[in-house]
Amino acid sequence: MRTQVGIIGAGPAGLLLSRLLTLQGVDNVVLENRSREYVEARIRAGILEQHTVDTLTDAGIGDRLHRQGMEHHGIHLQYPGTRHTLDFPALCGRTVWVYGQTEVTKDLIKAQLAGGPPLLFEVSDVVPEDVDTDSPRIRFTDAEGRRQVLECDVVAGTDGFHGVSRPVVQQAAGGRVWERTYPYAWLGILADATPSTDELIYAWHPEGFALYSMRSPTVSRLYLQVDPSDRIEHWSDDRIWDNLATRLALDGWDVSTGPVTEKSILPMRSFVSAPMRRGRLFLAGDAAHIVPPTGAKGLNLAIADVTLLATALVRLLQEKQTDLVDSYSDRALARVWRCTHFSWWMTSMLHRAGDDFDAQLQLSQLRRVCSSEPAARELAENYTGLPLDR
């Protein structure tokens, strides 16, 4: 098999990279070790920054997003007795959209299978080779058990934290990893409950953080701060709803409830791997970085990565110019660290940890954001997405 770009991983990063390259006339093949059904069922992030919406729309993947997604103009910050609204358009002129990563993935797969480049599911034994040369290859076993070799000009590793691509890049001289594990996790639920809020609620509470989000006009997505060692079977639906009601309590307002259709516990950590390139192998998305979900940055960072990478690869493969691929890692990592800091800051401000001294510091920071326009604007600019350096 022969192609220009071999893409390992069919999450949103790999699929969007394939789409952007195809639109510019660059041949590519996408390899995925899971089934289509598994990939389309993964529950992930739900907040899309403005640049993500614009990128998907420009790539012809925005029709269902604009029909079914929900544009949001701000968030509510809450601590006991106070709920304050941040108006994003007034603060920074941008908005965000609620549209699940699962739906983005479905849209990208549908477009890929409707006459797009090859997308091979259920491959195994994937090994990128000769990435330090101008003729890398990917060895793999296809779904029928046949050994295959995909000859490429470039390999893109969009296969997540546990994928095969990052270790190959890390073997390069100077490879480095930064990591922080947080002393709390999120218990998340999907519920068939009409949202009782117009915007997302980020709530600090002495008993722990809570987040009220949504996926549609009839489905709510809610989260509770829990201990990382907690087990989901310890949390009955009634216990979850009682804790949500306590942590989100506000006079004259109640949490709307309904049948819980999915629940899980998500550990929280920050992770950055550098560089994001070795020779002709480039990393994007979770293969290179992970952020806690508080700042709604994970999916959006992946989209930013592949937007930069697609532009760089087109310039390399069609114009034989190396300037953008040579600067890709540094440019991508500059945004990664900005988003990593914002995610850490939001997480540290809102999650209960430490003693009462720490609690007062958190409340002081929240009051500052709620009372200062410059402080509120800083949050709004980062939350809605800083301009993308192409």
Side-chain angles (χ1 to χ4, degrees), residues 20-32:
L20 295 176
L21 292 174
T22 301
L23 291 174
Q24 294 296 316
V26 175
D27 294 335
N28 60 90
V29 174
V30 182
L31 307 176
E32 168 58 45

Side-chain angles (χ1 to χ4, degrees), residues 222-281:
L222 304 103
Y223 299 92
L224 287 168
Q225 175 187 340
V226 299
D227 190 274
S229 64
D230 217 333
R231 299 172 63 87
I232 197 66
E233 54 265 30
H234 296 161
W235 287 84
S236 67
D237 292 359
D238 288 343
R239 184 187 179 194
I240 292 171
W241 288 121
D242 287 346
N243 273 265
L244 286 166
T246 297
R247 300 186 197 185
L248 292 164
L250 190 72
D251 287 345
W253 179 88
D254 293 303
V255 176
S256 60
T257 63
V260 175
T261 58
E262 190 271 342
K263 58 183 175 181
S264 60
I265 290 179
L266 171 69
M268 300 179 69
R269 62 178 172 155
S270 296
F271 175 89
V272 179
S273 177
M276 292 173 61
R277 175 198 183 185
R278 175 182 173 182
R280 288 291 183 101
L281 170 58

Side-chain angles (χ1 to χ4, degrees), residues 1 14 25 56 61 63 68 86 97 132 146 177 193 266 310 316 339 349-350 353 358 365 378 383:
M1 301 174 65
L56 292 171
I61 310 293
D63 289 349
Q68 300 180 13
L86 299 185
W97 287 70
D132 294 317
R146 297 170 299 195
V177 166
L266 171 69
L316 171 69
C339 293
M349 177 175 65
L350 289 162
D358 296 295
Q365 181 65 72
E378 175 71 7
Y383 193 96

Side-chain angles (χ1 to χ4, degrees), residues 92-390:
C92 65
R94 296 192 293 272
T95 63
V96 296
W97 287 70
V98 172
Y99 189 68
Q101 179 173 321
T102 305
E103 306 310 314
V104 173
T105 302
K106 290 177 181 177
D107 294 343
L108 286 164
I109 289 176
K110 181 179 179 181
Q112 188 94 357
L113 297 179
L119 168 55
L120 308 182
F121 290 104
E122 299 184 81
V123 305
S124 59
D125 305 319
V126 178
V127 180
E129 295 181 341
D130 292 340
V131 299
D132 294 317
T133 74
D134 292 341
S135 302
R137 66 176 63 87
I138 306 172
R139 295 188 185 275
F140 66 97
T141 302
D142 66 22
E144 285 72 43
R146 297 170 299 195
R147 289 296 295 165
Q148 303 280 4
V149 178
L150 178 62
E151 304 285 349
C152 315
D153 297 313
V154 169
V155 177
T158 59
D159 48 343
F161 177 80
H162 297 289
V164 300
S165 302
R166 181 174 57 83
V168 176
V169 173
Q170 278 292 300
Q171 292 168 7
R176 188 170 177 193
V177 166
W178 296 264
E179 188 168 11
R180 171 158 297 177
T181 301
Y182 296 90
Y184 26 74
W186 275 11
L187 188 159
I189 66 168
L190 276 175
D192 290 333
T194 300
S196 54
T197 176
D198 55 341
E199 306 287 8
L200 279 68
I201 304 171
Y202 287 78
W204 182 97
H205 191 272
E207 295 185 13
F209 170 74
L211 171 60
Y212 197 132
S213 183
M214 63 285 293
R215 284 295 180 268
S216 76
T218 60
V219 176
S220 294
R221 180 72 163 154
L222 304 103
Y223 299 92
L224 287 168
Q225 175 187 340
V226 299
D227 190 274
S229 64
D230 217 333
R231 299 172 63 87
I232 197 66
E233 54 265 30
H234 296 161
W235 287 84
S236 67
D237 292 359
D238 288 343
R239 184 187 179 194
I240 292 171
W241 288 121
D242 287 346
N243 273 265
L244 286 166
T246 297
R247 300 186 197 185
L248 292 164
L250 190 72
D251 287 345
W253 179 88
D254 293 303
V255 176
S256 60
T257 63
V260 175
T261 58
E262 190 271 342
K263 58 183 175 181
S264 60
I265 290 179
L266 171 69
M268 300 179 69
R269 62 178 172 155
S270 296
F271 175 89
V272 179
S273 177
M276 292 173 61
R277 175 198 183 185
R278 175 182 173 182
R280 288 291 183 101
L281 170 58
F282 298 83
L283 302 181
D286 286 358
H289 44 74
I290 295 172
V291 292
T294 325
K297 289 286 154 271
L299 172 60
N300 295 293
L301 261 181
I303 300 301
D305 286 350
V306 300
T307 305
L308 293 175
L309 183 56
T311 304
L313 294 182
V314 169
R315 186 165 172 82
L316 171 69
L317 298 172
Q318 295 185 346
E319 302 175 25
K320 309 304 180 185
Q321 300 295 316
T322 65
D323 55 337
L324 294 185
V325 292
D326 289 342
S327 64
Y328 165 71
S329 182
D330 289 341
R331 289 184 295 127
L333 283 167
R335 187 182 185 88
V336 166
W337 278 114
R338 171 86 296 275
C339 293
T340 297
H341 178 270
F342 176 69
S343 300
W344 165 85
W345 178 76
M346 286 281 286
T347 301
S348 302
M349 177 175 65
L350 289 162
H351 289 75
R352 188 73 169 91
D355 56 20
D356 289 341
F357 182 86
D358 296 295
Q360 292 304 315
L361 292 178
Q362 290 176 312
L363 288 169
S364 175
Q365 181 65 72
L366 279 165
R367 294 188 187 105
R368 169 67 177 171
V369 174
C370 294
S371 61
S372 164
E373 184 173 324
R377 182 177 299 111
E378 175 71 7
L379 189 155
E381 288 178 347
N382 282 273
Y383 193 96
T384 58
L386 297 171
L388 183 63
D389 169 24
R390 294 176 185 267

